[in-house]
Amino acid sequence: SRGLGDVYKRQVLRPVTMSFQTHTYAQARAIVDALSESENMNQISDLSIRTNQGRDRDLVQTDLVITYFEVAS
């Protein structure tokens, strides 16, 4: 049987960079929470949620990196 070390050696990291705009902070947070709670093991990093300055002032800009962890077969 394979040990836990073998699983880590076969682990594949799939980072995905995401950017999106919403009208409210609550909408942005709901999307981030849904991503975090997905059935696929993941880690969210480099998270930035901010209100845009200028003509799109009513929009909330969200940028993040979500890394999915998979075990290679």
Side-chain angles (χ1 to χ4, degrees), residues 3 5 7 9 15 23 29-30 32 36-37 39-42 46 49 53 56 59 62 64-66 68-70:
V7 171
K9 290 177 189 172
H23 290 285
R29 188 61 206 218
V32 171
S36 176
E37 296 168 359
E39 64 184 48
N40 301 311
M41 185 183 297
N42 67 69
D46 299 327
I49 301 176
Q53 303 297 321
D56 294 329
L59 296 177
T62 303
L64 61 88
V65 175
I66 183 167
Y68 291 97
F69 300 88
E70 302 174 5

Side-chain angles (χ1 to χ4, degrees), residues 2 6-8 10-12 69-73:
R2 293 185 169 151
D6 291 333
V7 171
Y8 286 120
R10 296 184 354 226
Q11 192 174 55
V12 177
F69 300 88
E70 302 174 5
V71 177
S73 49

